[in-house]
Amino acid sequence: MQTDRITNGMFEAWQNMSQRIDRIFGTQRWASDLTLIAIVLGWTIWSSLGSARLWDRDEPRNARCAVEMIQRQDWIVPMFNDQLRTHKPILLYWFEIASYSLLGVNEFAARFPSAICGSLTVLAIYSLARRMVDARFGLWSAIALASSTMFVVASRAATPDAVLICFSTLGIALLAAQIHSSSGVWSKSSGVSDAEPIGGLVKPNFRLGYLGYAALGCAVLAKGPVGLVIPLTVVLTWAFVQRLQQTFKERDRPMISASKMMLHLLWLATHPAVLLERLKQSTRQAFSLAWQTCWDARLPLGLAVVLAISLPWYIWVGIRTDGQWLYGFFVEHNLNRAVSAMEGHSGGIWYYPLALIAGTFPWSLLLIPIVWWAAKMSREDRYAAPIQLGLIWVGVTVAVFSCAGTKLPSYITTCYPGVALLIGSFFAAWQAGELKLSATMNRIAGWVMIFTSVGLAVGIMVAAQWLQMPRLWICSVWPLALLIPAASLIRQARASKSLASDDPSSNRMGASAAWQFAITAPILIGGLMGQGPSKISHYRSDLDELIAVAAADQATNPASVGHWLAVGTIEPSWVFYLGHRITELPTAIVVNSSQLDWKVVATEHLQKLDARLVVNAEDWQSLQDYWASDSTAAGPQTAILIRSNRFLDDTELIVLRRLEIVTIPRLATLPDKL
């Protein structure tokens, strides 16, 4: 009870502060809402954003690619480690180039564009939900999105995911604002109207629509065709459903239940002539509605806007690379990933549903009541339109990527704003007293939170002990925040037995539990995502030693960048933090249809004055044995600069340099360029 009183006191204090803020700015709640959203974003996305090193393998690749474009003064062709990078289009690199010019080349600057895009996405969802229903719904949707695990991960990473999420969300929100088809789509309680009703329908605001298509054009520049296909499918499907419902309302024919629909279909199965006629009639009506939906969306002109924004760069990069970039991106990284599982990233039909549950943690702890609420309110309620949009958003995204051969949790991050609409409608109704959870549901949810909280805290402590990272222990405190709403839900379950369903105390307890969860969810996610990576990054000793060697080399000879050769594979973070190319030497080299021993190339490399050779312990022993067994290949005297275990790997990393010059004949079979 003490916790409830504290929460109610905090809520009342915030309401009073909100009223003062709105009076100062002369606004109707949005100023106070934006203040609260800014606080949440500041903790979950912006706190300690640049404190951790870039994480292999995608972050340093993207960050270094922008650096190399600056060094080459080339804004068209993305390169990493002096090699063509065909994984992703150009938009993230442009944003990082702009960020570097303002903030310098560092971790914060590399992640700055993603954090900005994540923040804009949250504001877009707030605006969309506020327009569709009211300010309370907008606030809850924004808080839910800003504290969902995978969305926060994407917004804190130097990857194109946050950029894609941002522009696809803006595209959906702006197009939905244009092609909504009835006054019931936007609730009258929002007090917002973009156009005047005409004959029961609302005249589309074409300026919003074209801005939406412009956003989708940027999404195509962020991650390719997926930035257009999925958002456009989502918004057109939703608009079609809204128009279909409007048609039923105009004909005074309510949507029938699933059971009645099944009985009607069984009856039609016994009357083939009637069935055929109904199918023809339904097909004509469906095509008519689909055509009208596409016309309201101004689809041809909209696609022209998308192509006008995205196509010039694709043409230009294709010309500059003789089609190599286009082939690598569209064939290798789109078509091949769609038809086969690349790099071992596969999964079954339950892969993305499970990924969605994990990605929306901790809000997914209330998965069952949220799904029940969405199913119940998706027909006739002021939340129907946003719930239907959220369901279509999630359904289309999960269905498309479930059909692909390659599966990664980050592929479906574009649907998290849609999930936020579902979560936001549930919590807005719960706080307002429009929704009451049963005692059984409260009890189950409370105990689920308790087990999750304790289990996650213990798991972090075990991981810290197993990985020998004592600094990580402090992060085990953050999951315990879930015990606060858990205790409130269990108390509410006990108290509900003695309270009537319409008792005001019951509504206050529900609002208290909702606000407690809203407070603890950002605290939990912000604590884990803000402090966890920085604590773990402290133990990347191999990378720290590489950076120290590079700094010493630069201090000794500023004019030389050194010649680095790595046997086997390299980590992209090495390239970013060393600040220059590292030649990757495979252990099997084929020159003119004949195999060349990598040890020959490594020996020749060490003849250079500023040479550095990166090997593991096993390859270093093989190199020494090669020098000892062949007098004609006597190696140079070497010094070990680094001998350290690789991060989260038992493999020993060794960096060598030449100690003195030993003259040996140059090998005629050595290739000029590796």
Side-chain angles (χ1 to χ4, degrees), residues 359-489:
T360 53
F361 176 83
W363 302 90
S364 56
L365 294 176
L366 294 169
L367 174 67
I368 295 176
I370 291 174
V371 172
W372 166 79
W373 164 260
K376 179 181 178 182
M377 295 295 139
S378 61
R379 287 180 175 272
E380 297 294 337
D381 188 80
R382 68 194 189 109
Y383 293 108
I387 286 177
Q388 290 168 2
L389 177 58
L391 291 174
I392 293 171
W393 204 331
V394 174
V396 169
T397 306
V398 171
V400 168
F401 286 108
S402 293
C403 296
T406 304
K407 293 179 172 61
L408 284 171
S410 60
Y411 285 176
I412 62 168
T413 49
T414 54
C415 78
Y416 282 94
V419 179
L421 293 177
L422 304 178
I423 297 173
S425 65
F426 173 84
F427 274 86
W430 194 13
Q431 181 212 340
E434 302 172 11
L435 165 68
K436 293 182 177 64
L437 298 181
S438 65
T440 302
M441 190 68 72
N442 282 327
R443 190 178 297 108
I444 292 174
W447 282 108
V448 167
M449 290 182 191
I450 290 175
F451 285 124
T452 302
S453 173
V454 175
L456 191 55
V458 172
I460 293 174
M461 290 187 287
V462 171
Q465 183 68 25
W466 181 54
L467 297 173
Q468 298 181 355
M469 297 180 180
R471 290 176 177 242
L472 197 58
W473 276 73
I474 189 63
C475 294
S476 63
V477 175
W478 299 111
L480 300 180
L482 286 174
L483 296 177
I484 298 174
S488 179
L489 287 170

Side-chain angles (χ1 to χ4, degrees), residues 102-177:
L102 294 174
L103 306 171
V105 179
N106 52 62
E107 293 88 350
F108 181 84
R111 295 169 178 145
F112 182 77
S114 293
I116 286 289
C117 287
S119 302
L120 289 176
T121 305
V122 172
L123 295 179
I125 279 297
Y126 169 76
S127 177
L128 176 64
R130 179 186 173 100
R131 284 174 174 271
M132 296 185 84
V133 181
D134 56 22
R136 180 188 290 113
F137 176 39
L139 179 62
W140 277 106
S141 299
I143 292 176
L145 182 60
S147 54
S148 292
T149 300
M150 277 303 297
F151 177 79
V152 173
V153 168
S155 300
R156 296 178 63 93
T159 62
D161 293 327
V163 183
L164 174 65
I165 297 170
C166 176
F167 286 106
S168 61
T169 301
L170 286 173
I172 290 175
L174 291 168
L175 284 170

Side-chain angles (χ1 to χ4, degrees), residues 98-342:
S99 180
Y100 291 157
S101 65
L102 294 174
L103 306 171
V105 179
N106 52 62
E107 293 88 350
F108 181 84
R111 295 169 178 145
F112 182 77
S114 293
I116 286 289
C117 287
S119 302
L120 289 176
T121 305
V122 172
L123 295 179
I125 279 297
Y126 169 76
S127 177
L128 176 64
R130 179 186 173 100
R131 284 174 174 271
M132 296 185 84
V133 181
D134 56 22
R136 180 188 290 113
F137 176 39
L139 179 62
W140 277 106
S141 299
I143 292 176
L145 182 60
S147 54
S148 292
T149 300
M150 277 303 297
F151 177 79
V152 173
V153 168
S155 300
R156 296 178 63 93
T159 62
D161 293 327
V163 183
L164 174 65
I165 297 170
C166 176
F167 286 106
S168 61
T169 301
L170 286 173
I172 290 175
L174 291 168
L175 284 170
Q178 174 198 329
I179 61 178
H180 65 277
S181 58
S182 71
S183 59
V185 176
W186 309 123
S187 173
K188 294 180 180 179
S189 62
S190 66
V192 178
S193 178
D194 292 324
E196 295 297 327
I198 298 178
L201 300 180
V202 176
K203 182 181 179 180
N205 188 330
F206 297 123
R207 289 172 297 180
L208 292 179
Y210 292 136
L211 286 175
Y213 283 114
L216 294 185
C218 293
V220 173
L221 283 176
K223 222 169 180 181
V226 70
L228 172 66
V229 175
I230 291 182
L232 199 57
T233 303
V234 168
V235 75
L236 290 179
T237 303
W238 176 76
F240 178 81
V241 171
Q242 298 304 305
R243 181 167 286 278
L244 183 63
Q245 291 178 335
Q246 179 67 27
T247 301
F248 274 92
K249 289 179 181 179
E250 291 174 352
R251 297 178 181 179
D252 198 21
R253 291 169 58 185
M255 302 286 286
I256 62 176
S257 63
S259 58
K260 291 183 179 179
M261 176 67 74
M262 290 299 298
L263 291 175
H264 185 63
L265 290 176
L266 290 174
W267 181 85
L268 288 176
T270 61
H271 298 75
V274 178
L275 176 61
L276 182 60
E277 183 61 30
R278 293 284 179 86
L279 285 175
K280 291 181 179 179
Q281 183 180 2
S282 300
T283 302
R284 286 194 298 268
Q285 292 175 348
F287 272 109
S288 176
L289 291 177
W291 170 259
Q292 189 61 48
T293 300
C294 294
W295 175 254
D296 287 345
R298 292 299 187 266
L299 189 58
L301 290 177
L303 293 178
V305 172
V306 173
L307 293 177
I309 291 175
S310 60
L311 193 58
W313 176 81
Y314 282 95
I315 295 175
W316 201 345
V317 75
I319 295 173
R320 288 279 306 276
T321 61
D322 294 326
Q324 293 182 28
W325 191 95
L326 297 177
Y327 179 84
F329 178 68
F330 287 106
V331 177
E332 295 179 3
H333 294 290
N334 278 268
L335 181 61
N336 289 349
R337 288 180 183 272
V339 300
S340 61
M342 295 181 62

Side-chain angles (χ1 to χ4, degrees), residues 478-636:
W478 299 111
L480 300 180
L482 286 174
L483 296 177
I484 298 174
S488 179
L489 287 170
I490 293 176
R491 278 197 307 271
Q492 186 175 352
R494 293 174 179 173
S496 61
K497 297 178 180 179
S498 58
L499 295 176
S501 59
D502 57 348
D503 194 314
S505 299
S506 177
N507 294 339
R508 285 196 299 270
M509 293 179 68
S512 176
W515 273 110
Q516 286 174 12
F517 196 88
I519 294 171
T520 56
I523 290 176
L524 166 62
I525 297 302
L528 291 179
M529 298 301 167
Q531 292 196 7
S534 61
K535 302 297 183 185
I536 297 174
S537 183
H538 176 78
Y539 297 98
R540 300 180 69 179
S541 57
D542 56 338
L543 187 57
D544 292 336
E545 293 186 38
L546 276 173
I547 296 172
V549 168
D553 290 344
Q554 185 68 18
T556 304
N557 187 3
S560 175
V561 297
H563 293 83
W564 286 70
L565 181 71
V567 178
T569 59
I570 65 172
E571 294 295 343
S573 57
W574 302 351
V575 182
F576 177 81
Y577 287 106
L578 290 179
H580 55 75
R581 180 189 179 191
I582 301 178
T583 303
E584 189 172 354
L585 176 65
T587 54
I589 310 172
V590 178
V591 179
N592 297 329
S593 301
S594 61
Q595 187 165 337
L596 179 64
D597 195 337
W598 67 268
K599 294 183 282 292
V600 175
V601 180
T603 302
E604 173 69 16
H605 173 76
L606 284 172
Q607 305 309 309
K608 300 174 184 177
L609 184 62
D610 54 354
R612 301 291 184 265
L613 181 67
V614 184
V615 295
N616 58 38
E618 182 180 353
D619 291 334
W620 170 227
Q621 185 61 49
S622 299
L623 187 59
Q624 289 178 304
D625 294 341
Y626 169 71
W627 289 342
S629 63
D630 190 348
S631 59
T632 62

